[in-house]
Amino acid sequence: AQSVSQHNHHVILSEAASLELGCNYSYGGTVNLFWYVQYPGQHLQLLLKYFSGDPLVKGIKGFEAEFIKSKFSFNLRKPSVQWSDTAEYFCAVNAGTSYDKVIFGPGTSLSVIP
Amino acid sequence: GAVVSQHPSRVICKSGTSVKIECRSLDFQATTMFWYRQFPKKSLMLMATSNEGSKATYEQGVEKDKFLINHASLTLSTLTVTSAHPEDSSFYICSAPGTSGRKQYFGPGTRLTVT
């Protein structure tokens, strides 16, 4: 069965600092990988996804993530965070076969200080 | 893009009553839908997989008699929380895979409060 771990439970950064949130998954087969964001009081939004091809994927709001197959990792990055990036970030994975359930990591709470 | 709706968005009920939550795929058909539960400041925990025309598949530790799932049509799945208790208070979210099957579309969630 798939599982997802995220390195940090809570991250606090100042505005303009660079961000990297770690994500590792365990699954032996082909996977699809996702990062979701949940702003306070709002529902999930997809930041970016990896299905195949270029392991460096770019998403919305200046976020990007790199899939490193050998490390079973899919870390999220942003060069310069803003106060509005304060939110919960969830890494998620599903098996490469279609229509499979998505398993979420425990989440990382990001607080950006103005 | 594909849209998934949930109804109601918020519900408050008394202990011992049952509550039904609907999940609809608005512009696509979904033979499979997924139900998640999210506690405050926690991640989404998969509860069950809803299958159109057959029984739902429940994750380990989820009581199937407590959380009844019915996938009545290709665009509608319902989750009924039976004999609700305060500990059932949570945010319930459904999702459905899009046409390609790889990407999931999430509903906006239903906030259940049991008093």
Side-chain angles (χ1 to χ4, degrees):
Chain A
Q2 307 100 300
S3 69
V4 183
S5 63
Q6 292 182 237
H7 301 177
N8 310 96
H9 180 63
H10 193 186
V11 172
I12 302 173
L13 293 173
S14 298
E15 273 194 318
S18 64
L19 169 72
E20 180 160 2
L21 301 182
C23 171
N24 286 90
Y25 66 92
S26 65
Y27 184 69
T30 303
V31 292
N32 302 312
L33 296 156
F34 310 86
W35 273 99
Y36 287 90
V37 61
Q38 190 173 34
Y39 297 102
Q42 298 188 26
H43 60 90
L44 283 177
Q45 293 180 40
L46 180 66
L47 271 180
L48 46 79
K49 61 188 183 292
Y50 171 80
F51 290 163
S52 62
D54 189 343
L56 184 62
V57 292
K58 295 191 183 299
I60 60 172
K61 306 181 188 238
F63 287 91
E64 66 177 30
E66 184 175 13
F67 170 50
I68 303 179
K69 188 175 181 179
S70 61
K71 295 184 178 180
F72 296 88
S73 70
F74 190 56
N75 292 356
L76 180 72
R77 298 194 291 251
K78 185 171 183 178
S80 176
V81 295
Q82 301 171 313
W83 175 78
S84 57
D85 293 323
T86 296
E88 290 280 333
Y89 292 81
F90 298 99
C91 182
V93 61
N94 72 349
T97 54
S98 296
Y99 305 100
D100 195 35
K101 57 194 176 189
V102 174
I103 303 300
F104 285 81
T108 296
S109 175
L110 172 65
S111 299
V112 180
I113 302 169
Chain B
V3 175
V4 173
S5 70
Q6 284 185 238
H7 177 80
S9 57
R10 291 177 179 269
V11 58
I12 301 172
C13 71
K14 292 187 176 180
S15 244
T17 61
S18 295
V19 173
K20 181 185 285 187
I21 303 169
E22 293 184 348
C23 176
R24 292 181 186 274
S25 56
L26 295 186
D27 51 359
F28 66 103
Q29 294 182 336
T31 55
T32 302
M33 290 183 175
F34 302 99
W35 285 97
Y36 295 84
R37 182 173 180 178
Q38 186 179 29
F39 290 102
K41 299 190 182 297
K42 297 290 186 182
S43 187
L44 280 74
M45 300 298 297
L46 180 68
M47 297 175 66
T49 302
S50 173
N51 303 299
E52 190 269 336
S54 64
K55 291 183 179 179
T57 306
Y58 290 81
E59 296 299 304
Q60 192 172 14
V62 178
E63 299 176 61
K64 56 183 69 176
D65 293 333
K66 175 117 182 111
F67 298 100
L68 300 179
I69 291 172
N70 182 30
H71 200 135
S73 74
L74 288 171
T75 58
L76 173 64
S77 173
T78 59
L79 168 69
T80 300
V81 183
T82 62
S83 187
H85 289 283
E87 56 264 33
D88 298 325
S89 298
S90 193
F91 196 52
Y92 293 87
I93 303 170
C94 71
S95 74
T99 308
S100 71
R102 285 173 148 181
K103 186 177 176 182
Q104 293 279 344
Y105 295 92
F106 286 85
T110 296
R111 174 78 58 196
L112 170 64
T113 303
V114 184
T115 61

